[in-house]
Amino acid sequence: MNSSDFNLHPQLVADCHLLGQFKECIVLLHRNAVVPWFILVPVTDAVDLLDLPTSQLGRVMEECSEIGKFVRDHFGSPKLNFGAIGNLVPQMHLHVIGRSPDDSCWPSPVWGNLSESRDYDVNAIAEITHALDSRFGLRG
């Protein structure tokens, strides 16, 4: 599928900052800065992660792994949560979330338990985008 023909689900657009794109996935940053929460959206019509062809599945998982390493290195998160739920937003998207015993909903999942909210400022978004681009080469 050509990424120029691909549209993000409106809920993902509303909930996230668009940072760029890897080879397989569009890279989003959740607007709530309380935890480092990245969402990767594979450029595909497939609905579920396990529907991807094996070769593409491997590349998508590599990109999720790279984001996980970035979250650990950049934010100092000692724990990563990963999910491919997609019950509310039908477009396939993958959550990579940095967790820490001192975050506001530890040890519960962030879904439905993250009552605290904080926005990223413009400089923080630019710095995260630059760090990702320097490390992985994001496409605009």
Side-chain angles (χ1 to χ4, degrees):
M1 171 173 255
N2 186 334
S3 62
S4 63
D5 299 329
F6 187 78
N7 293 309
L8 286 172
H9 188 278
Q11 191 63 55
L12 293 173
V13 173
D15 290 347
C16 301
H17 300 283
L18 174 61
L19 302 183
Q21 184 171 346
F22 291 152
K23 183 176 180 182
E24 295 292 335
C25 297
I26 296 170
V27 181
L28 306 173
L29 176 65
H30 197 283
R31 291 189 186 280
N32 191 344
V34 171
V35 294
W37 186 341
F38 289 82
I39 298 174
L40 280 73
V41 182
V43 178
T44 181
D45 286 333
V47 175
D48 292 308
L49 181 63
L50 300 178
D51 292 337
L52 292 174
T54 303
S55 60
Q56 186 180 17
L57 176 61
R59 293 189 306 267
V60 166
M61 293 307 295
E62 285 177 26
E63 291 178 2
C64 289
S65 178
E66 292 299 328
I67 284 290
K69 291 173 190 170
F70 176 80
V71 168
R72 282 203 167 115
D73 295 345
H74 189 82
F75 295 95
S77 300
K79 176 74 175 121
L80 294 174
N81 288 174
F82 175 79
I85 310 299
N87 293 340
L88 296 177
V89 174
Q91 184 174 50
M92 185 194 315
H93 60 285
L94 310 165
H95 301 265
V96 180
I97 307 163
R99 300 297 307 276
S100 173
D102 63 352
D103 72 44
S104 64
C105 64
W106 179 270
S108 300
V110 294
W111 294 275
N113 295 300
L114 194 59
S115 57
E116 184 183 348
S117 182
R118 183 174 67 244
D119 294 330
Y120 285 98
D121 66 38
V122 175
N123 292 332
I125 296 166
E127 193 274 326
I128 292 166
T129 303
H130 177 73
L132 281 170
D133 186 38
S134 295
R135 187 164 172 173
F136 303 113
L138 288 176
R139 297 188 321 231

